[in-house]
């Protein structure tokens, strides 16, 4: 079959199978649907194609000189773009190696040496490839860690700007290590990192009408002095930037955190004491959050901070299984993260698959009676869930009028069990195959604000 041509920039009208979670709950599916994207890259209409050919009073007038083109991509499926809520761009070259090591050993053996080499020249090489790898996997929003090199971080932000992806990126703050004293003042390295972070935030946070955002990024408690945690949380809150870190990932890490921060009640309290959880704190994102106590779960829910659930990483490094259903019940905003190179690749569909397997294991082996998400529930987590954790639930994450047109086109026929056999027509079955029979080439197009991303 000839490849349908894809719109490069708004405005346009897309005819496709259209599937989207709805912000108010539930899912909508149009077997022959239309998505109208206005000249500003906003969705103006989502409806059955036949119905959408009739003009609607509420649709904004389009300049009569602007010819709106129709693009028919059927039988491809159009979904909201995926949100990768946690990943490490400099770690891409290590993706898929290091399985089975505990976190602290893996960091020392694989990750820190790789990141130490990640300077501006390395970022120039990897940045554009990384952005294309994300969009080729269906990710239209990525929240990422750079390295501890400010120039490399600047280059990665430039790569995201040029590529067109929606991105949150931060310079990694790290000046302490396992076994160090953490109570004292910031080291000269840490001070330099804070200053560079403040400059990067001033230059990048909110760039291109909010497409690019900055995240103050203290790597995790064991990498930081209490002072750096406090100063970064304060700066993030003052500038409206995000504040991202790792939380409660690995049992040995937890032991070390208890030793390094004896005054804290638990791991989350290390960050709470630094002012990262409000009131008055920054928009915080915590990766992993696997081994939380009841108190930590309650405090996290009350704070409104988001959790990046990274199941593909959590079973590659044997970290544990996050009790997802419990967090959702508690009202914690949860999205999905690829966590390269703890996780083996950028596909959030693969993260959903491993997540589902892990939750089944928790049910069977761990005796958790709560139901596991169904495929449409996983899709919601990978789109609206991530958007909500970023405070962007009104802007992206679903295909609904008024939102920015961040979306992907998928050739679902590639997920059929045999070529041409066993097509799925029900939305839950279509998405089930995208998750459990993911095909590396199934994402055929990705748009941010109606602009086609290079893949
Ligand atoms: N904790 C601190 N740094 C890292 C990292 O790079 N990856 C993961 N998975 N956990 C971390
Ligand atoms: Zn991580």
């Amino acid at each position: 079959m000839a490849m349908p041509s894809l719109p490069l920039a708004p405005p346009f009208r897309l005819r496709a199978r259209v599937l989207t979670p709805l912000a108010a709950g539930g899912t909508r599916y149009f077997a022959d649907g239309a998505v109208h994207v206005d000249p500003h890259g906003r969705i103006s209409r989502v409806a059955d194609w036949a119905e959408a050919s009739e003009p609607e009073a509420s649709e904004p007038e389009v300049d009569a000189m602007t010819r709106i083109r129709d693009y028919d991509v059927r039988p491809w499926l159009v979904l909201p773009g995926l949100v990768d809520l946690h990943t490490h761009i400099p770690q891409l070259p290590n993706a898929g190696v290091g399985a089975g090591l505990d976190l602290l050993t893996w960091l020392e053996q694989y990750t820190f040496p790789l990141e130490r080499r990640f300077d501006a020249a390395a970022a120039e090489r990897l940045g554009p490839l990384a952005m294309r790898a994300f969009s080729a996997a269906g990710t239209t929003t990525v929240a990422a860690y750079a390295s501890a090199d400010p120039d490399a971080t600047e280059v990665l932000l430039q790569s995201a700007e040029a590529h067109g992806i929606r991105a949150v990126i931060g310079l990694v703050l790290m000046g302490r290590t396992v076994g160090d004293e953490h109570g004292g003042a910031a080291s000269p390295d840490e001070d330099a990192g804070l200053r560079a972070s403040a400059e990067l935030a001033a230059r990048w946070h909110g760039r291109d009408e909010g497409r690019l955002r900055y995240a103050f990024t203290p790597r995790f408690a064991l990498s930081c002095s209490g002072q750096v945690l406090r100063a970064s949380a304060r700066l993030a809150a003052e500038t409206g930037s995000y504040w991202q870190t790792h939380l409660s990932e690995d049992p040995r890490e937890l032991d070390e955190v208890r030793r390094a921060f004896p005054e804290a009640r638990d791991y989350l309290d290390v960050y709470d004491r630094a002012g990262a959880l409000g009131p008055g704190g920054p928009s915080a994102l915590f990766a992993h959050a696997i081994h939380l106590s009841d108190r930590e779960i309650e405090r996290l829910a009350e704070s409104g901070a988001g959790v990046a659930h990274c199941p593909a990483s959590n079973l590659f490094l044997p970290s544990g299984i996050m009790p997802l259903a419990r967090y959702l019940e508690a009202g914690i905003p949860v999205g999905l993260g690829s966590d390269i190179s703890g996780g083996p690749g950028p596909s959030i569909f693969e993260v959903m698959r491993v997540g589902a397997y892990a939750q089944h294991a928790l049910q069977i082996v761990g005796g958790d009676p709560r139901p596991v998400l169904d495929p449409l529930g996983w899709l919601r987590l990978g789109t609206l869930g991530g958007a909500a954790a970023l405070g962007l639930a009104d802007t992206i994450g679903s295909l609904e009028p008024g939102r920015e047109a961040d979306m992907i086109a998928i050739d679902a026929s590639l997920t059929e069990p045999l070529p041409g056999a066993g097509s799925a027509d029900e939305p839950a079955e279509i998405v089930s195959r995208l998750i459990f029979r993911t095909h590396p080439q199934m994402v055929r197009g990705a748009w941010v604000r109606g602009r086609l991303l290079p893949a």
Side-chain angles (χ1 to χ4, degrees):
M1 195 182 78
M3 288 278 180
S5 73
L6 297 176
L8 297 176
F12 57 84
R13 288 186 291 233
L14 205 55
R15 182 173 188 179
R17 292 199 282 173
V18 178
L19 176 62
T20 180
L22 299 172
T27 301
R28 284 221 72 177
Y29 176 62
F30 302 94
D32 182 4
V35 181
H36 293 192
V37 178
D38 77 12
H40 309 291
R42 278 185 193 279
I43 296 169
S44 54
R45 198 160 184 195
V46 182
D48 272 320
W49 178 261
E51 182 193 322
S53 340
E54 306 293 323
E56 189 179 56
S58 66
E59 260 191 295
E61 282 279 325
V62 176
D63 188 327
M65 297 300 287
T66 319
R67 209 169 75 83
I68 302 193
R69 267 193 64 180
D70 291 340
Y71 292 83
D72 187 351
V73 302
R74 289 171 304 162
W76 289 0
L77 179 71
V78 170
L79 303 176
L82 301 171
V83 177
D84 185 342
L85 202 53
H86 178 79
T87 200
H88 300 260
I89 295 168
Q91 295 179 27
L92 258 166
N94 267 359
V97 297
L101 293 174
D102 75 281
L103 171 68
L104 299 180
T105 307
W106 173 81
L107 285 172
E108 287 297 335
Q109 282 188 10
Y110 282 92
T111 305
F112 292 159
L114 181 68
E115 289 194 19
R116 273 196 287 272
R117 296 194 298 272
F118 196 78
D119 57 9
E124 297 275 4
R125 285 190 300 274
L126 190 66
L129 297 175
M131 302 308 156
R132 293 207 318 255
F134 291 124
S135 59
T139 292
T140 53
T141 297
V142 62
Y145 290 41
S147 68
D149 182 326
D151 296 332
T153 307
E154 172 81 19
V155 170
L156 290 185
L157 281 154
Q158 287 169 0
S159 304
E161 183 181 41
H163 173 266
I165 198 167
R166 194 182 290 275
V168 177
I169 300 178
L171 169 71
V172 174
L173 294 165
M174 49 191 297
R176 296 283 204 278
T177 189
V178 178
D180 280 359
E181 174 61 47
H182 291 257
S187 66
D189 272 2
E190 288 178 312
D191 271 335
L194 279 170
R195 275 197 305 279
S197 300
E199 284 164 20
L200 285 160
R203 236 187 346 274
W204 287 97
H205 185 64
R207 180 92 63 113
D208 193 15
E209 296 176 35
R211 177 167 65 83
L212 301 164
R213 292 167 192 245
Y214 192 73
F216 285 81
T217 308
R219 178 169 215 123
F220 67 154
L222 295 178
S223 290
C224 298
S225 62
Q227 195 186 339
V228 161
L229 295 174
R230 280 192 298 280
S232 59
R234 183 173 48 73
L235 284 165
E238 281 172 9
T239 58
S241 308
Y242 295 103
W243 188 86
Q244 59 180 353
T245 192
H246 295 89
L247 169 68
S248 200
E249 179 177 1
D250 166 277
R252 188 153 80 86
E253 172 203 19
L254 265 66
D255 285 344
E256 292 294 340
V257 169
R258 269 189 286 275
R259 236 194 304 278
F261 296 88
E263 69 287 1
R265 284 193 262 198
D266 45 43
Y267 200 153
L268 186 67
D269 197 41
V270 173
Y271 299 139
D272 208 351
R273 286 164 165 266
L277 287 152
S283 304
L285 293 172
F286 294 103
H288 309 300
I290 299 171
H291 309 282
L292 301 185
S293 65
D294 293 349
R295 191 206 79 81
E296 288 171 295
I297 294 171
E298 240 172 74
R299 177 67 185 120
L300 205 50
E302 172 193 81
S303 79
V307 164
H309 178 38
C310 308
S313 165
N314 299 156
L315 294 176
F316 185 83
L317 306 177
S319 304
I321 300 178
M322 193 193 90
L324 171 63
R326 219 175 137 206
Y327 294 6
L328 294 178
E329 219 171 75
I332 296 171
V334 180
L336 297 173
S338 63
D339 192 32
I340 293 167
S341 60
S347 171
I348 292 296
F349 288 113
E350 288 185 9
V351 170
M352 295 175 189
R353 181 175 71 239
V354 179
Y357 293 162
Q359 293 302 312
H360 292 160
L362 203 58
Q363 207 176 43
I364 299 161
V365 185
D368 189 329
R370 295 175 183 82
V372 173
L373 291 178
D374 62 11
L376 294 173
W378 285 104
L379 180 66
R380 169 174 287 272
L381 212 62
T383 53
L384 273 173
L390 289 167
L392 296 176
D394 296 334
T395 310
I396 54 169
S398 70
L399 304 178
E400 297 181 81
R403 281 158 192 271
E404 303 196 359
D406 288 18
M407 46 192 199
I408 54 179
I410 294 184
D411 181 356
S413 72
L414 292 169
T415 69
E416 287 171 8
L418 295 167
S423 76
D425 296 316
E426 289 303 312
E429 290 179 353
I430 297 170
V431 175
S432 187
R433 289 230 174 110
L434 301 184
I435 296 172
F436 294 102
R437 294 184 46 77
T438 296
H439 188 284
Q441 260 95 49
M442 70 188 192
V443 177
R444 299 300 202 179
W447 294 264
V448 167
R449 293 178 177 157
R451 295 199 160 271
L452 187 66
L453 302 177

